[in-house]
Amino acid sequence: MSARTTLRRRITIATVSAASIALIATACTSNTPADEDTADGDGGGGTNQAVSDNDAAGEEVVIGFSAPAADHGWMGAITAAARAEAENYEDVELRVAEGTNDVNVQISQIEGFINDGVDAIVLLPFDGAALTDVATQAMEAGIPVINVDREFSSPFAARSTVLGDNYGMGVSAGTYICEELGDNPDAVVTEIQGIASLPLTQDRSQGFADALSDCGLEVSTQVQGDFTVQGGEAATANLLQAEPQIDAIWNHDDDQGVGVLSAIENAGRDEFFMVGGAGSQQVMEHIQADDSVLQATVVYPSTQAADGIKLARLVAHEKNMSDLASSGVPRTVQLFAPVVTADNVEQYLPTAFQS
């Protein structure tokens, strides 16, 4: 089996998994055929529709939520989506701690939730390792913790974990670029990372390199934009000076992409196409309008905490996911990293975040 076949199978499997998760998020404790008299309106034994009671109101559950400060668009969208999801349920009281990048403050927030005896905690830690001990304390106190995005360093610190797919982002971006450029070993492909020292960045770059190698390509120049607009602009200016001719750019982060686009426009360069990362509304609108070098972006879902709220509610209510053969909420849910292009952008715009 070729490397490309393996990568495409991974992507296909991830797509199916993502679709399954979307189904089980509202699945019921038991699949029961709809009443024949109401299934098709004529009492003649219509379709066999599953009845879902997971969204029906139950006993009130109090969910504590803590995440880092909303210092860029994606993180702001994380908290906004969590609040919006909680509002969908009349049996959920969501207590949102103030966003902070201070590990000690976030630890104090979780200790406060423990002392208050909340029913569940959804936690996107600023630093997963640093929040592991206090999350474990919550679990030992009988409060299920749903870990979001940045993993704890112990499996005992969370009941369930919701993750994006950083390696998969790189695979999706690289596979798309391979398909666009064809098997041209002379194509110049460049990469604008976020913060190079972060494991998530390294995972994205590794997936990108693995996918490119399948079609005989490699990264010509790699720079880092620090996940900021200013950093993205400076890094891109350096990149454009280093490479007089480029065929494709992958920018890891759409927030820093505001600066990336500014540098490209200032340089008057448009001989290449660019693939973004994370899935901001602004980038998707550029793709839709076809008014820049942006041709695609790879989604890193800003709905992860919203998924965490849904899972926390199910765990607190001791409900199962009926679309799975096994009982209970999964230990880990990893979301797919789809490529958004002009062909499917309308599907993803409703869940895009603002840079």
Side-chain angles (χ1 to χ4, degrees):
M1 182 183 299
S2 71
R4 178 171 297 177
T5 300
T6 301
L7 286 172
R8 286 179 176 170
R9 286 192 176 183
R10 288 179 189 166
I11 291 171
T12 301
I13 291 169
T15 304
V16 172
S17 299
S20 299
I21 291 165
L23 288 171
I24 63 178
T26 55
C28 59
T29 53
S30 62
N31 274 343
T32 306
D35 186 279
E36 290 184 350
D37 290 338
T38 61
D40 62 2
D42 62 4
T47 57
N48 197 31
Q49 297 177 337
V51 176
S52 175
D53 66 358
N54 267 1
D55 285 337
E59 292 186 9
E60 183 179 78
V61 295
V62 179
I63 300 175
F65 175 74
S66 176
D71 51 11
H72 60 287
W74 186 87
M75 191 61 75
I78 278 283
T79 298
R83 288 182 183 273
E85 192 59 46
E87 290 176 359
N88 289 331
Y89 299 102
E90 61 183 76
D91 57 7
V92 171
E93 177 189 337
L94 185 66
R95 298 181 184 175
V96 181
E98 183 176 357
T100 179
N101 293 340
D102 186 321
V103 167
N104 292 323
V105 171
Q106 196 171 30
I107 289 172
S108 296
Q109 293 173 348
I110 305 309
E111 290 173 340
F113 289 147
I114 295 171
N115 292 335
D116 291 343
V118 299
D119 297 297
I121 295 171
V122 177
L123 174 56
L124 197 167
F126 180 74
D127 182 318
L131 271 292
T132 295
D133 285 347
V134 73
T136 302
Q137 291 173 30
M139 290 286 289
E140 291 175 346
I143 301 172
V145 176
I146 308 299
N147 180 203
V148 177
D149 188 50
R150 302 173 185 177
E151 290 184 89
F152 299 134
S153 55
S154 167
F156 302 108
R159 165 59 182 83
S160 188
T161 301
V162 182
L163 298 171
D165 188 355
N166 287 296
Y167 179 84
M169 282 184 71
V171 170
S172 292
T175 301
Y176 176 79
I177 287 174
C178 277
E179 290 173 348
E180 290 296 296
L181 295 179
D183 296 328
N184 175 11
D186 297 323
V188 177
V189 179
T190 60
E191 179 182 6
I192 305 172
Q193 300 176 312
I195 298 174
S197 61
L198 293 179
L200 69 89
T201 298
Q202 294 163 7
D203 287 345
R204 292 179 187 185
S205 290
Q206 187 60 59
F208 191 51
D210 288 349
L212 289 180
S213 67
D214 186 55
C215 65
L217 296 176
E218 61 183 20
V219 174
S220 299
T221 302
Q222 185 183 75
V223 295
Q224 66 169 353
D226 300 326
F227 290 123
T228 66
V229 173
Q230 297 81 2
E233 185 168 6
T236 306
N238 292 334
L239 171 65
L240 296 176
Q241 289 179 353
E243 294 286 357
Q245 173 65 36
I246 298 173
D247 293 290
I249 295 176
W250 181 40
N251 169 48
H252 284 209
D253 181 71
D254 285 342
D255 279 319
Q256 75 182 15
V258 174
V260 171
L261 274 183
S262 178
I264 291 170
E265 291 169 2
N266 289 339
R269 298 278 294 273
D270 63 1
E271 79 277 6
F272 50 80
F273 68 89
M274 186 167 84
V275 178
S280 77
Q281 177 182 325
Q282 287 88 335
V283 165
M284 291 191 193
E285 288 173 347
H286 277 302
I287 293 169
Q288 191 174 44
D290 190 24
D291 61 1
S292 74
V293 295
L294 274 163
Q295 189 168 304
T297 189
V298 183
V299 174
Y300 191 76
S302 60
T303 52
Q304 293 177 52
D307 291 330
I309 298 298
K310 294 180 80 73
L311 295 183
R313 178 178 173 273
L314 288 181
V315 170
H317 281 160
E318 298 183 346
K319 290 188 175 182
N320 298 327
M321 289 182 166
S322 66
D323 283 357
L324 297 179
S326 303
S327 297
V329 171
R331 283 278 294 161
T332 303
V333 175
Q334 187 165 45
L335 305 176
F336 183 45
V339 176
V340 179
T341 67
D343 292 334
N344 63 3
V345 64
E346 291 185 3
Q347 174 186 346
Y348 293 98
L349 262 172
T351 55
F353 66 92
Q354 293 190 0
S355 294

